[in-house]
Amino acid sequence: VICHPKYQGSKRIAIFLSMPDEIQTEEIIKDIFKQGKECFIPRYKPHSNQMDMLKLSSAEDISSLTLTPWNILQPHDDDNAREEALAGGGLDLIFMPGLGFDKKGNRLGRGKGYYDTYLERCMKRPSGKPYTIALAFREQICESVPVAENDVQVDEVLYEDC
């Protein structure tokens, strides 16, 4: 991941804080800060399909985050001091999680459409849609995954031996 040209050329990167059954992102987050890039993480809004990408100040900042009912660390709902990526300079790259992927860039998420809705918001901004890379285990690559008309394809899926 850290040798990928899109990662190397990006300054503002959004990345998920991994759950136990996902590709672990901690070392990527540390490298984002080591390379002097800006790091943004999701804050999911309960009872909706809306999320924002909020800026982390450091890899250690993760320890100040709140655990949601879904067992995901994120900034607290009333944490308004953090920069929201779209209110600032947008994003260059988004690393995305998922349950399953196909080689056409279709992604099966967890069903709420958070990333699809967020990417739609990005597309309405002057900076446009950031490059998207899904991080997957080889076992998550399928012949095809079900898609709906509002699903946004990822630009690339990275997995072992790809």
Side-chain angles (χ1 to χ4, degrees), residues 14-15 40-45 48-55 74-75 77 79-80 82-87 91 114-115 117-118 121:
I15 190 164
F40 295 82
I41 59 165
R43 177 171 67 188
Y44 306 95
K45 296 196 176 172
S48 77
N49 64 350
Q50 174 129 9
M51 92 179 160
D52 293 318
M53 292 292 186
L54 300 181
K55 190 172 184 178
Q74 69 176 27
D77 289 343
D79 183 347
N80 298 317
R82 295 176 188 273
E83 176 190 340
E84 200 292 312
L86 296 183
L91 291 165
Y114 287 110
Y115 279 89
T117 303
Y118 190 79
R121 285 173 51 207

Side-chain angles (χ1 to χ4, degrees), residues 30-106:
K30 288 178 183 175
D31 191 74
I32 289 170
F33 287 105
K34 182 178 162 194
Q35 301 230 7
K37 301 173 185 289
E38 294 176 88
C39 184
F40 295 82
I41 59 165
R43 177 171 67 188
Y44 306 95
K45 296 196 176 172
H47 315 296
S48 77
N49 64 350
Q50 174 129 9
M51 92 179 160
D52 293 318
M53 292 292 186
L54 300 181
K55 190 172 184 178
L56 277 181
S57 58
S58 67
E60 295 73 32
D61 189 13
I62 294 171
S63 65
S64 73
L65 301 177
T66 305
L67 196 62
T68 69
W70 307 305
N71 276 336
I72 298 172
L73 286 172
Q74 69 176 27
H76 198 272
D77 289 343
D78 62 6
D79 183 347
N80 298 317
R82 295 176 188 273
E83 176 190 340
E84 200 292 312
L86 296 183
L91 291 165
D92 303 315
L93 174 63
I94 299 178
F95 285 110
M96 298 173 60
L99 298 176
F101 309 90
D102 65 28
K103 292 182 180 177
K104 293 179 227 136
N106 294 312

Side-chain angles (χ1 to χ4, degrees), residues 7 10 21-22 36 43 47 51-52 65-66 80 85 88-89 98 102 113 120 130 136 141 143-144 162:
Y7 174 78
S10 294
D21 62 344
E22 296 174 326
R43 177 171 67 188
H47 315 296
M51 92 179 160
D52 293 318
L65 301 177
T66 305
N80 298 317
D102 65 28
E120 289 290 336
I141 307 304
E143 192 63 39
S144 68
C162 71

